[in-house]
Amino acid sequence: KPYATLERVDFNNDIHNNTALILKGLQVAPIVKLPTALVVPNGTFDNNINGWTFDPILTNATATASWNSGTLKIDSGSAVGLPEVYAQLNTINGTSYTISLDVNLIGNQWYQIWVVTDPQDIWNTYIVPHTTVNGPSNTTETVTFTAGADDLYILIRVGFTASESIIIDNVISTGP
């Protein structure tokens, strides 16, 4: 069955003899978000760490996150803790993505990479549960996932003892 039909209508009057075509039965398809390349906001940290949120969870406010010569650096300060950084991703529900990131652990701490719908409730909203990596380490990590919702977050949590740091760089999408 065609989506629409054209009908000819003649208009005759004393001055003009015109014909018009009228489109009848047009059905409009719903608007759908089409998969596009995933953009990680400011994932290369060229000039700053804008677009990333720092949360010094359980650190008694001694941990810090800062821009460090083209990288994001988290320092533990003088306390043990679990600081996090996260950024929102422009994901589309049902689409598969891959993200890679360079991580340099300085010390014996660990880190976890999560993909979540709510960075304030990671245990109940994760799409990709954490993978724990123990340090010291200098590596490129890859996370592949299928979005279970639109607009997810990538979250990096660090387990620190005092006077340690982690350097993160090149958080980029290599897919879909």
Side-chain angles (χ1 to χ4, degrees):
K1 178 180 174 184
Y3 286 103
T5 59
L6 286 174
E7 292 185 12
R8 179 183 166 150
V9 178
D10 292 320
F11 298 95
N12 295 315
N13 60 31
D14 293 338
I15 303 171
H16 300 285
N17 185 8
N18 295 316
T19 300
L21 294 176
I22 298 175
L23 188 60
K24 288 189 173 183
L26 180 64
Q27 296 178 359
V28 178
I31 296 174
V32 177
K33 288 174 79 174
L34 297 176
T36 58
L38 180 65
V39 175
V40 178
N42 193 22
T44 57
F45 310 109
D46 292 336
N47 300 303
N48 53 49
I49 58 172
N50 293 349
W52 288 77
T53 301
F54 173 68
D55 190 347
I57 296 173
L58 304 175
T59 61
N60 300 321
T62 62
T64 59
S66 61
W67 180 80
N68 182 43
S69 301
T71 65
L72 185 154
K73 183 176 183 182
I74 302 172
D75 285 308
S76 65
S78 60
V80 175
L82 297 170
E84 302 170 343
V85 291
Y86 57 89
Q88 189 170 20
L89 308 171
N90 63 329
T91 56
I92 298 172
N93 189 6
T95 303
S96 296
Y97 299 96
T98 300
I99 296 175
S100 67
L101 60 151
D102 297 335
V103 182
N104 184 4
L105 290 164
I106 302 166
N108 292 314
Q109 74 278 13
W110 51 263
Y111 66 90
Q112 300 170 336
I113 302 168
W114 299 71
V115 176
V116 298
T117 59
D118 180 356
Q120 300 303 312
D121 187 16
I122 62 176
W123 290 103
N124 293 313
T125 69
Y126 65 83
I127 304 298
V128 174
H130 67 81
T131 299
T132 301
V133 178
N134 294 308
S137 174
N138 189 0
T139 189
T140 299
E141 294 289 339
T142 301
V143 178
T144 300
F145 63 97
T146 299
D150 291 344
D151 303 321
L152 299 176
Y153 293 82
I154 184 167
L155 180 141
I156 303 158
R157 173 179 272 188
V158 184
F160 274 136
T161 57
S163 303
E164 294 180 326
S165 60
I166 184 172
I167 297 172
I168 302 165
D169 198 8
N170 299 317
V171 185
I172 58 170
S173 172
T174 57

